[in-house]
Amino acid sequence: MESLEKSKYNIFVFLQEMIKMIPLHTLYLLLVALINAFLPTVQTLAIAEFVNRVEGAYGGVSDIQMVVIPLIILLGIVIFKQMMPSVTNLINVSAQNHLKIVLRNRFMKKQAVLQYRYIEDNESCALIYRVCEKAENRFWTGYRTVCNGIELVIKCAALIGIVMQASILSGAAILLVSVPLFYLAYKTGKQNYVLQKDAVEIKRRYQYLSKILSDRNHAKERTMFGYSKRITEEYDRLSDYANQKEAVIEKKRYANMKSGSLTMVMLAVIIMLLLLPALSSGKLSNGLYLGLVTSILNLVQGMSWNLAGIMQGTADLNAYLNDVGVFLSMEEKADADVEPLKIPCFQVETIEFRNVSFRYPGREEYVLKDCSFVLQGNKCYAVVGKNGAGKSTLTKLLTGLYEDYEGQILINGKNLQEYRYGELKWMFSVVFQDFARYALSFRDNIWVGNVNENNVQLLEQVIKKLELEACVQELPGGIDSTLGKLEKDGVDLSGGQWQKLAIARLLYSEAPINILDEPTAALDPKGEAKVYEMFWQVNEEKFTILITHRLGAARMADEILVLDQGRIVEQGTHKALTELESGLYKEMFESQRCWYET
Ligand code: ADP
């Protein structure tokens, strides 16, 4: 797997995209941030004017009515501060709703066209989850952090500007202390982010344990194995540990805030003292002095609460944007989202693996090494081999999920990679070991096997062939009953019925090549052999590859291929392979014989 570290999705790209996705919301928040940023300055000047004019009126220099204007401005500021949070709350909700639609759409599309290797890789999967989970919230919170940052910087700069006009020394003092204070807060913010990431990871683990302890899917095993007590202990241990970590973060944050605010209070006192000469020389009016003191104290209060939060938010945003960048630059599969594309008059003649070698991305060892074999279109095959021999990998290569193999795979003599991906989708129908159980109606569970077809007759035939009629009749809503546990009235099927339903999808599809990749692994060997027997009977006319490590079903195939150490070591009929003096198939068959004898 290539490095998941590099990313070009920086804060500037992020801001551009935010403006594109939700221009009005971003503009609103920026405006509010700017107004908030300049508010202390306006407030300072208004207080100054107010005090000066009141002084003037009492000294008989000016008219008391002159006091009205700064008073109106101060009133306006109060009203704005009162109103703004509720309007902003509404905007927050609306912005996230908009983002949810745009981002979900975009991220889902990206996920749908990703190269298959990412889906199977744990690290990539975790990253995709981190990016897509509540993306709208992460984007909006990130943007708010940026606006808060802009607001704080402007607030400080404007205040420093006014102070500098009265006393350069005081302005320089604020600047001198502010810069390291910002830096310190950024470092603490980053440290907190790392600590929090650990805590989130632990939380994820104990939340999973909580799921095991409470959800329906684990109920049977929970009762049978009686592991609840042990898992509860582990849950308690992990949640205590996560709480301790969070307590450390809180303590750090608090200490950081308090030390920050203490420094700022000291700074405020120093500034007030430094400004005294300017006040007594008349360079600074009483009003402006009072206004400045009020604003500095306000800023101190705001800084102590906001600075660490903004810095932690920035570290969080940076890490998130890095993940987003990696996700968006993940390689896509051409045509990945196309619908199956029928090839007119197509019939399977041969499928050939010619010296195929393959290893999974990032792995040293080859799963297939110089693997060669030919399958004829008019026969049914079984591929057998021990667990981990590479049987499923064969399916993944044949169906085009992985393309970076060495050697050639040919269908009817034509290189697999020369077929369009839509054509391959049409060509193959596979039932995997971990086949899906869709929480859809019984009918739709079969229909998804061929979404281009709405053939009621074929559907009925398939149900009949697989002896599922009684099962349908017993369902409360017949064929339209919703299956699964997602809905309150959803009906659950037995394991065997779900398996048949997965096979029904395959029969309903018009794919000329059928692959069964151990979908019956959950059944006992005899049960499995029975299902396959039925499958052979109902699906004679289609080219089928059956993959299994249990040989009961393989016997029914026209030919058996034995996969071992990355290559086909034996190929022939059951009879021919068991008549060999020695061989892997014979050995496996002998050791499994007792599974099938009554
Ligand atoms: P089989 O179907 O014969 O049981 P598989 O084809 O599933 O075997 O796996 C063959 C080998 O490849 C195993 O060692 C397995 O661990 C490894 N493998 C399977 N999938 C992946 C993957 N996505 N990434 C890395 N290794 C894998």
Side-chain angles (χ1 to χ4, degrees):
M1 187 66 45
E2 67 260 41
S3 161
L4 293 179
E5 292 300 315
K6 291 168 267 147
S7 164
K8 289 198 192 92
Y9 201 87
N10 56 30
I11 198 132
F12 299 106
V13 182
F14 164 72
L15 290 177
Q16 276 173 24
E17 296 223 322
M18 284 296 283
I19 293 167
K20 256 194 247 160
M21 287 189 286
I22 41 168
L24 291 179
H25 298 87
T26 42
L27 191 71
Y28 167 83
L29 210 62
L30 189 67
L31 264 175
V32 169
L34 291 177
I35 294 174
N36 272 335
F38 287 108
L39 225 51
T41 318
V42 176
Q43 191 176 341
T44 307
L45 296 176
I47 292 175
E49 268 314 297
F50 177 72
V51 174
N52 291 344
R53 286 181 188 194
V54 170
E55 269 183 357
Y58 277 108
V61 186
S62 59
D63 193 346
I64 188 73
Q65 282 169 357
M66 296 296 282
V67 173
V68 175
I69 297 172
L71 208 58
I72 290 176
I73 295 175
L74 285 173
L75 204 68
I77 293 176
V78 173
I79 293 173
F80 175 79
K81 280 187 175 170
Q82 286 289 321
M83 301 280 293
M84 199 259 309
S86 356
V87 180
T88 305
N89 273 347
L90 287 177
I91 296 290
N92 284 345
V93 174
S94 157
Q96 291 195 46
N97 283 342
H98 275 75
L99 279 174
K100 195 173 182 170
I101 297 167
V102 182
L103 289 173
R104 288 259 160 102
N105 200 344
R106 180 167 175 205
F107 289 170
M108 255 158 56
K109 271 192 187 147
K110 176 77 189 176
Q111 267 178 287
V113 297
L114 280 183
Q115 287 278 1
Y116 187 71
R117 64 172 186 272
Y118 296 115
I119 316 287
E120 286 205 331
D121 178 67
N122 286 342
E123 202 188 336
S124 315
C125 269
L127 185 136
I128 294 171
Y129 181 78
R130 282 205 301 276
V131 170
C132 300
E133 171 76 356
K134 301 222 167 85
E136 67 280 2
N137 189 290
R138 306 292 301 267
F139 268 70
W140 187 242
T141 311
Y143 181 67
R144 286 180 62 169
T145 304
V146 173
C147 287
N148 286 345
I150 294 175
E151 183 185 316
L152 196 65
V153 170
I154 295 179
K155 256 185 195 168
C156 287
L159 206 67
I160 292 170
I162 305 181
V163 173
M164 273 201 164
Q165 277 186 356
S167 152
I168 299 215
L169 201 66
S170 312
I174 304 185
L175 212 64
L176 221 72
V177 183
S178 305
V179 173
L181 212 68
F182 265 81
Y183 177 72
L184 251 169
Y186 181 64
K187 262 190 84 173
T188 322
K190 243 177 143 169
Q191 279 170 0
N192 280 354
Y193 172 74
V194 175
L195 279 174
Q196 211 158 41
K197 217 172 149 186
D198 285 354
V200 167
E201 185 53 30
I202 299 167
K203 240 186 197 167
R204 201 174 61 83
R205 283 202 338 247
Y206 76 69
Q207 275 167 355
Y208 172 67
L209 294 183
S210 142
K211 195 172 150 197
I212 295 181
L213 288 170
S214 55
D215 83 351
R216 271 172 77 173
N217 288 337
H218 297 86
K220 268 188 260 153
E221 293 205 4
R222 200 166 53 229
T223 319
M224 241 184 68
F225 295 130
Y227 53 54
S228 293
K229 188 167 170 274
R230 295 290 279 278
I231 302 257
T232 309
E233 280 167 12
E234 179 64 3
Y235 173 89
D236 288 345
R237 192 186 68 78
L238 285 175
S239 73
D240 278 353
Y241 189 48
N243 288 343
Q244 275 169 20
K245 280 216 168 219
E246 278 183 342
V248 171
I249 298 170
E250 260 329 292
K251 268 187 209 152
K252 274 198 162 196
R253 200 197 318 244
Y254 194 73
N256 178 49
M257 257 162 19
K258 284 299 132 193
S259 59
S261 61
L262 214 69
T263 324
M264 288 298 281
V265 170
M266 270 157 50
L267 182 70
V269 174
I270 293 170
I271 293 166
M272 286 178 222
L273 292 176
L274 284 174
L275 286 175
L276 279 177
L279 180 70
S280 55
S281 72
K283 211 172 161 189
L284 197 68
S285 68
N286 286 348
L288 192 56
Y289 184 76
L290 200 68
L292 273 175
V293 170
T294 317
S295 298
I296 290 172
L297 288 176
N298 275 343
L299 189 71
V300 169
Q301 214 179 13
M303 281 272 256
S304 58
W305 288 104
N306 283 342
L307 196 54
I310 291 174
M311 293 311 179
Q312 186 168 338
T314 310
D316 192 10
L317 179 66
N318 271 335
Y320 181 67
L321 294 184
N322 190 60
D323 281 351
V324 173
V326 175
F327 170 58
L328 292 178
S329 58
M330 281 179 178
E331 235 182 297
E332 295 175 8
K333 188 167 176 71
D335 293 345
D337 50 352
V338 293
E339 296 214 333
L341 203 66
K342 185 172 179 165
I343 309 175
C345 311
F346 179 90
Q347 270 197 321
V348 193
E349 284 156 18
T350 54
I351 292 180
E352 181 178 359
F353 270 55
R354 204 179 277 173
N355 303 108
V356 173
S357 298
F358 175 74
R359 55 184 167 185
Y360 282 97
R363 298 292 163 108
E364 288 285 309
E365 70 283 6
Y366 277 91
V367 178
L368 299 178
K369 189 79 192 143
D370 252 335
C371 181
S372 296
F373 59 87
V374 184
L375 310 180
Q376 304 293 337
N378 54 356
K379 292 185 181 172
C380 286
Y381 290 88
V383 177
V384 304
K386 294 175 187 156
N387 271 329
K391 302 182 296 295
S392 294
T393 307
L394 274 185
T395 319
K396 290 181 206 164
L397 298 194
L398 190 56
T399 49
L401 293 180
Y402 283 90
E403 290 171 329
D404 34 10
Y405 51 85
E406 298 155 38
Q408 284 183 309
I409 301 175
L410 307 152
I411 298 179
N412 290 354
K414 180 171 158 183
N415 202 322
L416 188 79
Q417 290 175 4
E418 284 170 28
Y419 285 97
R420 292 162 69 179
Y421 192 50
E423 292 176 334
L424 291 182
K425 278 190 184 175
W426 170 79
M427 215 182 275
F428 292 99
S429 182
V430 187
V431 188
F432 290 102
Q433 187 169 339
D434 49 353
F435 57 83
R437 298 167 185 221
Y438 297 100
L440 300 171
S441 70
F442 191 97
R443 182 198 302 278
D444 288 348
N445 258 282
I446 301 179
W447 171 77
V448 290
N450 184 3
V451 286
N452 291 330
E453 191 68 62
N454 211 346
N455 188 335
V456 181
Q457 233 178 344
L458 179 61
L459 194 82
E460 281 169 2
Q461 267 175 25
V462 168
I463 291 175
K464 196 167 166 204
K465 276 183 181 176
L466 289 174
E467 295 170 7
L468 279 168
E469 288 154 308
C471 167
V472 175
Q473 273 165 16
E474 275 168 25
L475 294 174
I479 195 165
D480 290 310
S481 311
T482 305
L483 304 183
K485 297 168 184 166
L486 207 63
E487 284 177 26
K488 209 163 64 168
D489 57 347
V491 202
D492 207 8
L493 299 181
S494 71
Q497 286 166 334
W498 276 114
Q499 262 143 5
K500 280 193 180 177
L501 212 50
I503 294 175
R505 276 199 282 283
L506 180 139
L507 295 182
Y508 185 69
S509 104
E510 54 176 9
I513 306 173
N514 289 172
I515 303 178
L516 281 103
D517 190 351
E518 303 204 73
T520 48
L523 293 182
D524 64 72
K526 276 189 198 157
E528 179 187 68
K530 241 173 98 182
V531 171
Y532 281 137
E533 214 167 297
M534 172 187 287
F535 182 77
W536 290 131
Q537 278 166 15
V538 299
N539 202 36
E540 283 160 325
E541 70 275 19
K542 281 198 194 163
F543 178 81
T544 304
I545 303 173
L546 161 66
I547 289 175
T548 178
H549 70 281
R550 298 196 291 210
L551 309 185
R555 272 186 295 190
M556 289 167 262
D558 295 322
E559 249 183 50
I560 296 158
L561 288 89
V562 185
L563 185 64
D564 189 42
Q565 316 240 335
R567 65 183 72 190
I568 300 296
V569 290
E570 291 165 31
Q571 182 169 359
T573 60
H574 170 74
K575 191 165 179 293
L577 294 183
T578 42
E579 278 172 10
L580 288 176
E581 213 158 276
S582 65
L584 189 57
Y585 183 80
K586 186 171 176 170
E587 196 185 299
M588 283 173 77
F589 187 72
E590 288 304 326
S591 72
Q592 294 183 12
R593 185 187 283 278
C594 59
W595 291 356
Y596 304 100
E597 281 173 358
T598 40

